[in-house]
Amino acid sequence: MPADILKLTKFLSLFGGALSGTVRVLIAAALLSIGAVGTIRAAEQTPIIRQVQLMPDVPSPCIIRNWKQVAIAQDKLLFNPNATGQYMPLFHLVRDDRRNVITFGLPDYVGDIRQPADGSGNGITDMGAVWGATLVGIDKSSGDYDYVKMCAAYFDRRPNHNMVGNGIGQSDPAETFWYTLFPNIIFAGVADRYPGETDISDMARQSAVSWTKATAALTDPAKDAANFDHTGFNFHTMAGVDNGRWKEPDAGAGVAWIEYAAYNRWHDPAFLLAADRCMRYLDQRPADHDPWYEILMPFGALTAVRMNAELGRKYDSDKMINWCFDRSAARPDWKVNTERWDGIDTAGLVGGTDGPPRFAGPGGYGFAMNTFVWAWPLTPVARYDPRYARDIGKWMLNAASAARLYYANAHSHDGQTCPDWDGDPEHVIAYEGLKYRWDDPGQPMLATGDPIHEHWGPKTDYGLYGSVFVGVYGALIAPTDDPQILRLDLLATDSARPKAYPSYLYYNPHNNDRKIMLDAGARPSDIYDAVSGTFMVRGAAGPTPINIPAGHAIVVVLTPAGGAMSYDGTKTLANGVVI
């Protein structure tokens, strides 16, 4: 079918639902023959994410590390019990006789003297290391140990909890939402990638059941929406907890992701009800009440876009995605950076900005964990709603370049706080963050962290709790033959999703059209662009040139050559699979 007719039949499928497919094709051909209809685009490339518009089209300098190589080398170093050097090895086996489990532990920081004598660590770091390695193709269920099965040690079996926590056999949702919800999200991601680990999968399901109950307890019947304006949740009293110092309202976003992922895996309508109650809470929240507290808001943004695309919901995804980038109302010293520090573009880094109380003074403080994790849920957004493709592509180009600044080899001896640590010759463990200034206005930008400056324990500022998530970048980002055009894999970090064909985002930051080579694979494929709603190439195989317009993004889907096209409302399908 010619491309113009295909676009028009898609248009007619949206507004002529009673027409048969054949009639739509005939009407489309007739309209084209008389020139009655012009070009129809599936997704206009208009700016949506405000902070991204403040970022450079091309960061200067633009230096992209081989992030997959970094993630693979880091995994090798972290899990090496014979690693040498100061504070090495990092890996420890842990025996918990009280719970009759054997697991493993990694410190949150290199040289973290707070780590218990048994070597146990925290769920965010340990499970994060398993998740990050899995994303770049390392099977963590095979080898010397089944590290996937070992993640079960973080399941809290207490009857009132039955969920994953950040401590071995312990969850503390009453103290803080995010320190329990984020381990649950990591665990659910791991369980989704290892469906054969049935015990892990069942624990992920039980965790979702527990948060379904919490959501019901927090729901206002009049609004049929949960209220997460609390610090945490007490599973004994089944009520929200407020410590009088801060609230973590983005918990609603984290629970929404957990529940919708569970619904897509197990199809229990109770999970969908809970997800909708969380999304209604976010949807009804005023735009100027940004709920971003720590790490969870992007998971709610992805859930909004997925539910809109898959279920026809109308959640305000523009608002929620901007919440992930703008200065937060819940935590006013947080936003996504758009600045240039000491002559170097650092746009795209996520964390603190200039403002009280913690980051007062010029500049800000980007954190490795937040920067890597942000890309996990937000990059797949472009597959479900290609309107965001250009903004996501531009942000990821900036972030992929600036994130190198978390590593020692991007700095001089004076540009980092722990330059003499010798345990990481390949520079694959990141500092906790990048600080524009600490105390001295004349001080250079620093790769650093809290421990040394704040004198609270660990002997270095190398933060494993953030560094382990570099696998997100390793899975998402691949180079092309243009060093400033990245290939972003839109399926790599998306969990509990239906069947999909290979899907990639390419953003062209240049002011002229560029051609790149795309490997279409050995079997012939039709190359579809979800942004324009057209097929770019038919019957492609092997290296294939594709054109990307200046300043635009494309979302390429490799569909079976000659696949049968159909439409379901706003969905376009090839051989019954949504593209």
Side-chain angles (χ1 to χ4, degrees):
M1 186 186 301
D4 285 336
I5 294 180
L6 180 65
K7 286 187 285 184
L8 283 169
T9 56
K10 181 173 183 178
F11 174 81
L12 289 168
S13 76
L14 303 182
F15 300 102
L19 303 176
S20 71
T22 302
V23 172
R24 290 174 191 161
V25 172
L26 293 173
I27 293 175
L31 290 171
L32 283 169
S33 69
I34 64 174
V37 180
T39 299
I40 296 171
R41 297 186 63 81
E44 294 300 330
Q45 303 230 322
T46 56
I48 298 174
I49 305 175
R50 290 181 288 269
Q51 290 294 106
V52 173
Q53 313 319 311
L54 303 176
M55 299 178 186
D57 292 331
V58 179
S60 177
C62 185
I63 303 172
I64 312 291
R65 292 193 74 177
N66 184 329
W67 290 113
K68 184 173 183 178
Q69 186 180 74
V70 172
I72 292 171
Q74 180 187 244
D75 174 77
K76 184 177 179 180
L77 180 62
L78 295 187
F79 287 90
N80 180 5
N82 301 311
T84 60
Q86 190 180 25
Y87 309 125
M88 304 297 279
L90 299 168
F91 168 87
H92 301 276
L93 281 179
V94 179
R95 178 184 295 275
D96 188 332
D97 293 326
R98 293 172 301 167
R99 299 176 179 85
N100 192 31
V101 298
I102 297 177
T103 186
F104 71 97
L106 296 167
D108 286 347
Y109 295 84
V110 172
D112 195 342
I113 62 174
R114 305 168 305 160
Q115 189 174 26
D118 64 6
S120 60
N122 289 317
I124 289 174
T125 302
D126 295 349
M127 293 188 294
V130 173
W131 174 238
T134 297
L135 289 175
V136 292
I138 299 170
D139 184 352
K140 299 303 289 184
S141 67
S142 65
D144 293 337
Y145 304 100
D146 185 341
Y147 294 108
V148 175
K149 194 177 294 293
M150 284 180 170
C151 290
Y154 287 94
F155 187 76
D156 185 345
R157 299 179 182 274
R158 289 179 293 173
N160 286 346
H161 285 237
N162 276 324
M163 71 182 67
V164 177
N166 197 41
I168 292 179
Q170 181 180 356
S171 59
D172 296 303
E175 295 294 321
T176 165
F177 273 125
W178 89 269
Y179 263 117
T180 297
L181 288 172
F182 190 41
N184 273 270
I185 289 171
I186 301 167
F187 191 94
V190 171
D192 181 60
R193 297 302 170 96
Y194 296 91
E197 299 274 3
T198 54
D199 289 347
I200 295 292
S201 289
D202 187 60
M203 290 173 185
R205 185 189 60 79
Q206 289 184 62
S207 295
V209 169
S210 294
W211 285 102
T212 296
K213 295 175 181 177
T215 301
L218 292 170
T219 293
D220 177 351
K223 298 180 179 180
D224 200 20
N227 180 6
F228 287 91
D229 278 317
H230 304 287
T231 308
F233 185 81
N234 188 320
F235 276 85
H236 294 278
T237 64
M238 295 303 289
V241 176
D242 295 286
N243 65 11
R245 290 175 289 163
W246 73 81
K247 295 181 185 293
E248 302 183 19
D250 60 351
V255 177
W257 185 93
I258 291 168
E259 297 301 322
Y260 193 58
Y263 171 71
N264 280 286
R265 287 199 68 188
W266 294 289
H267 312 294
D268 185 336
F271 294 142
L272 180 59
L273 175 61
D276 273 315
R277 285 170 166 172
C278 294
M279 294 311 303
R280 281 193 284 270
Y281 160 72
L282 296 171
D283 203 53
Q284 295 168 10
R285 192 177 182 89
D288 60 352
H289 283 55
D290 186 332
W292 168 16
Y293 175 76
E294 178 65 50
I295 203 77
L296 301 175
M297 189 57 232
F299 292 95
L302 172 60
T303 305
V305 172
R306 279 196 64 174
M307 294 181 78
N308 289 350
E310 295 175 339
L311 303 178
R313 302 292 196 265
K314 302 295 183 182
Y315 295 126
D316 190 346
S317 58
D318 287 1
K319 175 182 72 175
M320 295 181 202
I321 289 175
N322 272 290
W323 277 345
C324 301
F325 289 82
D326 289 344
R327 185 186 294 272
S328 171
R331 197 168 183 174
D333 48 9
W334 286 77
K335 75 175 181 67
V336 173
N337 188 40
T338 61
E339 307 302 323
R340 187 172 172 85
W341 297 348
D342 290 346
I344 297 174
D345 279 323
T346 57
L349 302 184
V350 183
T353 183
D354 54 330
R358 186 178 179 191
F359 305 106
Y365 195 170
F367 291 101
M369 182 182 72
N370 302 71
T371 300
F372 291 140
V373 170
W374 240 235
W376 166 2
L378 287 179
T379 304
V381 159
R383 176 171 171 264
Y384 297 100
D385 192 337
R387 294 181 306 123
Y388 300 107
R390 181 184 179 278
D391 284 353
I392 288 173
K394 181 179 177 180
W395 160 57
M396 282 298 293
L397 175 62
N398 278 274
S401 177
R404 77 187 188 280
L405 299 170
Y406 291 129
Y407 294 84
N409 61 344
H411 299 274
S412 67
H413 188 278
D414 294 336
Q416 53 190 303
T417 50
C418 305
D420 298 321
W421 178 57
D422 63 355
D424 180 20
E426 294 185 66
H427 305 293
V428 295
I429 296 178
Y431 277 94
E432 180 181 18
L434 182 73
K435 190 79 171 69
Y436 183 44
R437 297 284 184 266
W438 267 123
D439 305 307
D440 181 359
Q443 184 184 56
M445 174 176 64
L446 278 175
T448 185
D450 288 352
I452 303 300
H453 186 268
E454 303 298 329
H455 308 289
W456 51 261
K459 299 301 183 182
T460 81
D461 288 325
Y462 289 97
L464 269 66
Y465 82 92
S467 186
V468 294
F469 294 101
V470 70
V472 172
Y473 274 29
L476 289 171
I477 301 168
T480 69
D481 41 341
D482 185 315
Q484 294 165 349
I485 296 179
L486 304 178
R487 190 197 77 178
L488 301 179
D489 188 334
L490 300 183
L491 305 183
T493 59
D494 197 11
S495 296
R497 56 168 174 77
K499 181 180 179 181
Y501 300 124
S503 304
Y504 305 106
L505 188 161
Y506 297 89
Y507 162 64
N508 175 9
H510 305 294
N511 58 10
N512 56 354
D513 291 4
R514 294 291 175 98
K515 279 189 168 58
I516 61 163
M517 298 300 292
L518 178 152
D519 186 356
R523 301 180 64 179
S525 297
D526 292 338
I527 301 177
Y528 179 78
D529 172 27
V531 174
S532 63
T534 62
F535 282 94
M536 304 176 72
V537 184
R538 296 279 192 174
T544 304
I546 57 172
N547 183 69
I548 310 173
H552 279 61
I554 59 174
V555 172
V556 165
V557 186
L558 301 181
T559 70
M565 303 301 296
S566 59
Y567 305 95
D568 178 10
T570 60
K571 302 183 184 80
T572 301
L573 300 89
N575 287 354
V577 176
V578 176
I579 63 172

